[in-house]
Each structure stands twice: as structure tokens, then as C-alpha cells.
């Protein structure tokens, strides 16, 4: 046997890692870094694969294009915001709801990914604002509705249809998060958030 044959037999080529064995967060983290660096329109599937150190085939087995990856990235980031915002230890569900909505708006408005998308790729957001609800919107509605129902049970929130009340609250919150910077300077956003607090608190008040 030749030396080359011996080497090949002793050191077989590593098997390709199955697509389902790759940590999804690793790919989404790579997409997040690229989005902040160059914007969504300049990202390619090849760029994401290279940054995540996976094959393009691995990406295409999970997502059809960059838009789909960014959509899932947004769902992940907004879920993190919801988890971090609605963790108040306030004594009533009404207070937890109001605190959570204001905190979520503040975190969303200042999120680097949202700021980058608004700055260079605002058209990406239009379908979710004008045509359909995305998965992250459904998660936000569920969180708000949960606290409204809890508030109606403990008496801190007035009667009504929690589903429609949640939609009204989310519509207000979205406008404060997306349009807030147009209405207030960076130094005045805290004042804007306090107005949102008053608005939501009075809307769900039982009195």
C-alpha cells in the first residue's frame, strides 16, 4: 500500500454535519451581526453561511431566502423583549401589564436591529404593518391578552373582550415604538413613554 493510501485510510474525511445538528441560534446570530454591519438588502445566503460557518445547503434546508431568516430573527428578538419586559413583580396584573407594555416599547424602540432596519430597509416592515400579522405579533398579542385576563380576574382591569382589548393596546404600543422618534427627540422619549403609561393604564382601568 502506498504512503498516500495509508494516510487516507488512517485519516478519513470528516462526515458532513447534518443540517438539523447545527444550532439555529448560531445561524441567527450570524445573520444578526451581518444585518447590523451591512443592512438586510446587502446580505446574501452565502454571507450568512460563511459567517455561521455552515454550508449554504444547510441554510436552504431551513429557510428559502434572507427575508425568511430575518423574519425568524425578529421573532426571536421580540420574544426576548417580551420575556424581559413582562416580568414585573407588581401586585396587580394591571400594573404588570402597564409596566410590561412601556418597557417593551422602550426596548423595541432602542433595539439595534430595528433601528438598522428602519434606517436602511424600512420596506421590510411594511407587510407586517399593513398586510398581515407575523409570528412575533401573535406572541405579543398573547402576552398582552394573558395579563388582561389576569387583571379581569383580580379586579384591577375593567370588563371587556380581552382579545380586542389586547389588539387596541398593541396598536398603541406599536405606534409609540415605531413613530415615537418622529414625535420626540431622544431626550424626550421618557416623557413620551410616560404618556403611553397613562394611556394604557386609563384604558384598562376598571373605573
Amino acid at each position: 500500500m502506498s504512503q498516500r493510501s495509508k494516510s487516507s485510510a488512517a485519516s478519513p474525511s470528516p462526515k458532513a454535519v447534518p443540517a438539523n445538528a447545527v444550532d439555529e441560534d448560531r445561524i441567527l446570530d450570524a445573520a444578526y451581526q451581518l444585518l447590523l454591519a451591512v443592512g438586510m438588502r446587502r446580505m446574501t445566503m452565502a454571507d450568512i453561511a460563511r459567517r455561521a460557518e455552515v454550508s449554504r445547503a444547510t441554510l436552504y434546508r431551513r429557510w428559502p431566502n434572507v427575508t425568511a431568516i430575518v423574519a425568524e430573527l425578529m421573532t426571536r428578538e421580540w420574544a426576548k423583549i417580551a420575556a424581559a419586559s413582562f416580568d414585573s413583580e407588581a401586585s396587580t396584573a394591571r400594573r404588570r401589564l402597564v409596566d410590561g407594555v412601556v418597557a417593551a416599547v422602550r426596548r423595541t424602540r432602542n433595539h439595534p436591529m430595528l433601528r438598522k432596519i428602519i434606517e436602511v430597509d424600512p420596506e421590510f416592515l411594511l407587510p407586517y404593518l399593513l398586510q398581515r400579522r407575523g409570528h412575533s405579533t401573535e406572541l405579543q398579542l398573547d402576552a398582552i391578552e394573558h395579563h388582561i385576563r389576569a387583571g379581569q380576574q383580580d379586579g384591577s382591569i375593567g370588563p371587556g373582550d380581552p382579545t380586542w382589548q389586547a389588539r387596541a393596546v398593541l396598536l398603541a404600543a406599536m405606534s409609540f415604538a415605531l413613530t415615537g422618534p418622529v414625535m420626540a427627540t431622544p431626550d424626550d422619549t421618557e416623557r413620551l413613554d410616560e404618556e403611553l403609561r397613562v394611556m394604557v393604564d386609563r384604558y384598562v382601568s376598571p373605573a
Side-chain angles (χ1 to χ4, degrees), residues 18-194:
N20 60 5
V22 178
D23 182 10
E24 189 170 277
D25 280 332
R26 172 175 157 188
I27 297 172
L28 295 179
D29 287 343
Y32 180 85
Q33 293 162 5
L34 280 168
L35 190 150
L36 294 187
V38 302
M40 181 178 162
R41 277 179 294 184
R42 294 179 61 187
M43 290 167 56
T44 68
M45 294 293 271
D47 293 334
I48 298 172
R50 191 178 306 112
R51 178 67 68 97
E53 297 182 338
V54 300
S55 69
R56 279 182 288 177
T58 295
L59 262 63
Y60 281 112
R61 289 189 190 103
R62 302 187 186 195
W63 300 281
N65 49 44
V66 169
T67 299
I69 293 178
V70 174
E72 186 151 345
L73 177 60
M74 288 184 67
T75 297
R76 185 188 75 168
E77 294 302 304
W78 300 160
K80 287 181 180 178
I81 286 176
S85 300
F86 289 94
D87 64 351
S88 169
E89 296 182 358
S91 58
T92 67
R94 174 182 166 193
R95 181 53 50 205
R96 290 193 294 273
L97 170 69
V98 174
D99 289 347
V101 168
V102 174
V105 165
R106 185 179 299 118
R107 287 186 170 101
T108 300
R109 183 194 300 129
N110 297 325
H111 197 288
M113 183 177 70
L114 180 64
R115 300 317 320 158
K116 188 68 174 185
I117 290 174
I118 290 176
E119 177 185 346
V120 300
D121 302 300
E123 65 279 3
F124 174 77
L125 297 173
L126 291 179
Y128 302 104
L129 297 176
L130 302 177
Q131 297 171 357
R132 65 180 185 274
R133 296 201 299 263
H135 184 56
S136 57
T137 300
E138 296 293 348
L139 292 175
Q140 292 162 346
L141 283 171
D142 287 346
I144 294 171
E145 184 174 337
H146 167 77
H147 286 285
I148 290 176
R149 290 185 183 278
Q152 289 177 341
Q153 290 178 357
D154 70 17
S156 63
I157 290 179
D161 186 330
T163 298
W164 287 99
Q165 289 173 315
R167 293 177 183 181
V169 170
L170 183 57
L171 282 171
M174 289 172 65
S175 68
F176 273 72
L178 295 173
T179 314
V182 178
M183 298 295 177
T185 66
D187 294 336
D188 292 331
T189 53
E190 287 190 12
R191 171 64 186 275
L192 197 65
D193 290 341
E194 286 308 308

